[in-house]
């Protein structure tokens, strides 16, 4: 048992109270030898937590759920979900706990959640644990996404447990403390819908409106407005992933938030050679969640959300379906607008440039990148040099010189703004080989490469001397991410 006195932190139990049917009060597993591996001090401060205190024994007990503040009521959350297209009525937090809600400095409610905190009633025979490597991966990748300005759940801390975890080999275990706008997922709605308890479904929807899409409360049809808002938020999110070459890897409905934040960074990767067909996860046989499929996968998941919401849309099933289909039709235009807007920014195109010029400019470039398997990150970044007059760094990445020269001439004629480009095209993304290298070193006890990588990707737009290695793609060859759990 932990003997450290608990921190005094005001953790709410709003989810546990309001949605008790979906919350199983539970306790984290003991942690034999807690040791802090990573802490986001800025995030801690935003949450009103004292980083120094978090580093102490009571802080580590707090971050692993073994020392719960007075009044807090940790719960395992129930949810269902489609995994790779197959429905599972009971997933839930099999190795996670919601510790409770905190109010951040801006007055926003934030979930504090643990991953790797031991088996729960949702574990389905698995151990409820997590290994150091995958938890640190979630830490560094979410840090990068946040630094890019992409909505994401955030990693507050990773604490090594001192317990070994059995995977293909024995690995050191860890607990991740995660912060999110909430952990309401498409799968949460699927779960509520499957209970046939319309009141529960309504309370869940009201909670989603209150926490994430408050303007829906004032709409003529609040639940339709909620659905439209989720469709729009996910369209924007996936467009932002696409713009930085992010491949999530497991876009199951239990891994899609209602808030529009990225969640559950398992076998994710950053694409290097541009390829619509790029996929990395060893468990994604057939590449269901490959790069170019992500918008379709999101749309598919959102259709599952619509099915779950039908009873709230109308008592008349035909009409409910009609409303849902109409709202889901909003996905593609919202995605296209976010995506084209993002590419306009990446290419530094002037405000007034006609879509009729911008659209083919972007699609012709992507055809070139695809045909020549050009590294998206370095190309986009080097393009600002071309806007300043030196095309060579970008041009040199493309084998088809005639093709790229013709494109560069068309693009330059629009008068691109190089400084604006540098504000949106990251120099540094978490390169897959560097992530692997950092996680392997950390697993073996050396945190230095991991800490360096976190520092580099945390300031992604600022090119710094000495960090050339972090700006380069990895050695050619197929990169595979294994399960990640
Ligand atoms: P994920 O693939 O991480 O999104 O998880 C899918 C489902 O499997 C969730 O219900 C998790 O809680 C559960 N799960 C994943 N890994 C474990 C584990 N080691 N022990 C228990 N449940 C797990
Ligand atoms: Mg998940």
């Amino acid at each position: 048992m932990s003997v450290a006195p608990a921190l005094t932190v005001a953790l709410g139990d709003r989810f546990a109270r309001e949605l008790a049917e979906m919350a199983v009060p539970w306790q984290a597993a003991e942690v034999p030898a807690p040791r802090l591996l990573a802490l986001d001090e800025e995030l801690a401060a935003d949450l009103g937590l004292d980083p120094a205190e978090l580093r102490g024994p009571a802080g580590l007990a707090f971050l692993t759920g073994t020392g719960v503040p007075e009044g807090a009521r940790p719960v395992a959350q129930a949810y269902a979900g489609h995994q790779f297209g197959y429905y599972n009525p009971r997933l839930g937090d099999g190795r996670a706990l919601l510790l409770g809600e905190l109010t951040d400095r801006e007055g926003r409610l934030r979930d504090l959640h643990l991953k790797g905190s031991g088996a729960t009633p949702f574990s389905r025979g698995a151990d409820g644990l997590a290994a150091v490597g995958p938890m640190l991966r979630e830490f560094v990748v979410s840090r990068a996404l946040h630094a890019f300005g992409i909505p994401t759940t955030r990693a507050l801390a990773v604490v090594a447990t001192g317990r070994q975890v059995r995977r293909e080999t024995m690995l050191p275990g860890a607990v991740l403390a995660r912060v999110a706008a909430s952990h309401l997922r498409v799968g949460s709605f699927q779960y509520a819908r499957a209970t046939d308890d319309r009141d529960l479904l309504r309370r869940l929807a009201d909670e989603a409106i209150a926490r994430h899409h408050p303007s829906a409360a004032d709409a003529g049809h609040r639940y339709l407005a909620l659905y439209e808002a989720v469709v729009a938020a996910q369209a924007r999110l996936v467009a932002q992933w696409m713009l930085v070459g992010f491949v999530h890897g497991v876009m199951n409905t239990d891994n899609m938030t209602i808030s529009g934040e990225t969640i559950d960074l398992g076998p994710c990767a950053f694409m290097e050679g541009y390829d619509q067909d790029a996929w990395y996860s060893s468990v994604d046989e057939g590449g269901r969640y490959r790069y170019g499929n992500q918008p379709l996968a999101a749309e598919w998941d959102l259709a599952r959300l619509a099915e779950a919401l039908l009873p709230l849309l109308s008592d008349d099933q035909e009409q409910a379906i009609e409303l849902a289909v109409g709202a889901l039709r909003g996905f593609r235009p919202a995605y296209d607008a976010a995506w084209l807007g993002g590419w306009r920014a990446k290419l530094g195109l002037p405000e007034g440039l006609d879509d009729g010029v911008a659209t083919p400019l972007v699609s012709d470039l992507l055809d070139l990148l695809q045909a020549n398997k050009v590294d998206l990150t370095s190309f986009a970044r080097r393009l600002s040099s071309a806007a300043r007059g030196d095309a060579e760094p970008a041009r040199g990445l493309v084998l088809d010189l005639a093709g790229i020269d013709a494109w560069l001439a068309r693009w330059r004629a629009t008068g691109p703004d190089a400084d604006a480009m540098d504000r949106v095209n990251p120099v540094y993304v978490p390169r897959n080989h560097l992530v692997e290298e950092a996680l392997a070193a950390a697993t073996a006890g050396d945190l230095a490469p991991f800490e360096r990588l976190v520092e580099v990707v945390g300031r992604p737009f600022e090119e710094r001397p000495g960090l050339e290695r972090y700006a380069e793609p990895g050695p050619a060859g197929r990169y595979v991410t294994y399960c990640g759990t």
Side-chain angles (χ1 to χ4, degrees):
M1 276 319 274
S2 159
V3 287
L7 288 193
T8 38
V9 178
L11 267 180
D13 61 352
R14 178 174 165 136
F15 183 89
R17 261 186 302 110
E18 312 257 326
L19 295 157
E21 297 93 330
M22 300 177 64
V24 180
W26 205 253
Q27 205 174 307
E30 282 309 310
V31 170
R35 192 165 59 87
L36 187 67
L37 299 181
L39 175 67
D40 187 330
E41 299 210 351
E42 212 175 289
L43 177 58
D46 282 346
L47 293 166
L49 302 169
D50 175 4
E53 218 171 34
L54 288 177
R55 291 178 182 278
L60 296 189
F62 174 71
L63 292 170
T64 53
T66 53
V68 177
E70 180 101 17
R73 273 208 296 156
V75 294
Q77 292 178 299
Y79 51 85
H82 278 86
Q83 298 181 302
F84 298 95
Y86 296 98
Y87 182 64
N88 188 328
R90 193 179 150 98
L91 292 169
D93 285 338
R95 54 163 174 171
L97 290 176
L98 176 67
L99 274 185
E101 302 93 11
L102 283 167
T103 304
D104 73 7
R105 270 198 190 142
E106 292 175 43
R108 302 175 307 178
L109 209 56
R110 286 292 176 266
D111 274 8
L112 182 60
H113 174 101
L114 305 177
K115 194 160 167 178
S117 49
T120 75
F122 300 105
S123 297
R124 296 173 287 148
D127 61 10
L129 304 175
V132 161
M135 296 306 101
L136 290 180
R137 183 200 306 277
E138 184 152 343
F139 190 99
V140 66
V141 175
S142 61
R143 172 72 72 95
L145 292 175
H146 178 69
F148 300 157
I150 299 180
T152 182
T153 58
R154 314 231 349 236
L156 174 62
V158 177
V159 179
T161 59
R163 182 187 284 117
Q164 293 288 301
V165 179
R166 185 182 294 278
R167 293 293 179 261
E168 286 84 16
T169 56
M170 295 304 283
L171 294 170
V175 174
L176 166 77
R178 178 164 81 184
V179 175
S182 88
H183 285 78
L184 303 182
R185 309 154 186 261
V186 170
S188 312
F189 281 84
Q190 292 180 290
Y191 182 91
R193 171 75 176 92
T195 62
D196 261 335
D197 178 347
R198 192 186 291 218
D199 174 63
L200 173 63
L201 186 61
R202 180 172 288 119
R203 277 184 285 125
L204 180 61
D206 286 337
E207 178 69 355
I209 291 171
R211 288 192 70 169
H212 308 305
H213 305 290
S215 61
D218 306 322
H221 190 325
R222 59 191 279 132
Y223 301 117
L224 180 62
L226 167 65
Y227 182 57
E228 288 167 344
V230 179
V231 167
Q234 285 294 336
R236 280 194 302 272
L237 176 66
V238 176
Q240 285 180 280
W241 289 354
M242 298 298 281
L243 293 164
V244 294
F246 177 71
V247 183
H248 180 282
V250 219
M251 291 178 68
N252 294 333
T253 58
D254 54 305
N255 291 338
M256 178 183 269
T257 59
I258 298 303
S259 64
E261 286 182 342
T262 309
I263 196 169
D264 279 353
L265 300 160
C268 56
F270 281 86
M271 185 175 62
E272 301 206 316
Y274 190 92
D275 184 3
Q276 289 286 328
D277 284 330
W279 57 278
Y280 302 91
S281 169
S282 65
V283 293
D284 187 9
E285 283 167 46
R288 178 182 174 95
Y289 298 134
R290 62 185 181 268
Y291 174 72
N293 249 14
Q294 294 189 118
L296 273 179
E299 201 180 30
W300 192 92
D301 287 353
L302 289 164
R304 308 289 78 76
L305 176 62
E307 287 163 2
L309 286 171
L310 286 180
L312 299 184
L313 297 183
S314 172
D315 288 333
D316 173 352
Q317 169 127 344
E318 290 298 308
Q319 204 205 347
I321 291 174
E322 204 171 301
L323 289 172
V325 168
L328 187 55
R329 252 184 229 123
F331 180 85
R332 290 184 188 203
Y335 174 81
D336 289 343
W339 182 84
L340 183 61
W343 265 108
R344 280 173 162 274
K346 286 179 85 66
L347 297 181
L349 301 181
E351 282 282 327
L353 190 74
D354 199 85
D355 272 356
V357 179
T359 305
L361 203 55
V362 174
S363 56
D364 292 347
L365 174 63
L366 296 186
D367 287 346
L368 270 170
L369 297 185
Q370 171 84 33
N372 295 269
K373 298 287 187 292
V374 178
D375 178 58
L376 175 64
T377 305
S378 17
F379 182 84
R381 182 68 186 201
R382 292 183 186 188
L383 211 47
S384 57
S385 301
R388 295 187 178 100
D390 180 12
E392 214 38 53
R395 175 176 192 270
L397 294 173
V398 186
L399 210 56
D400 175 4
L401 284 179
I404 194 63
D405 285 343
W407 184 87
L408 284 167
R410 275 165 68 201
W411 169 69
R412 275 223 205 87
T414 67
D417 178 343
D419 293 339
M421 293 170 72
D422 283 344
R423 289 194 290 272
V424 297
N425 291 312
V427 190
Y428 311 111
V429 302
R431 297 287 184 177
N432 304 319
H433 66 294
L434 297 178
V435 172
E436 290 308 321
E437 179 187 289
L439 301 189
T443 300
D446 176 12
L447 280 171
F450 171 77
E451 287 169 349
R452 184 90 170 124
L453 186 62
V454 169
E455 199 277 319
V456 171
V457 301
R459 284 157 64 201
F461 299 112
E462 193 188 320
E463 191 162 2
R464 285 161 281 164
L467 298 182
E468 291 72 17
R469 180 167 180 259
Y470 292 87
E472 300 285 325
R478 176 152 167 71
Y479 174 65
V480 181
T481 57
Y482 293 94
C483 196
T485 62

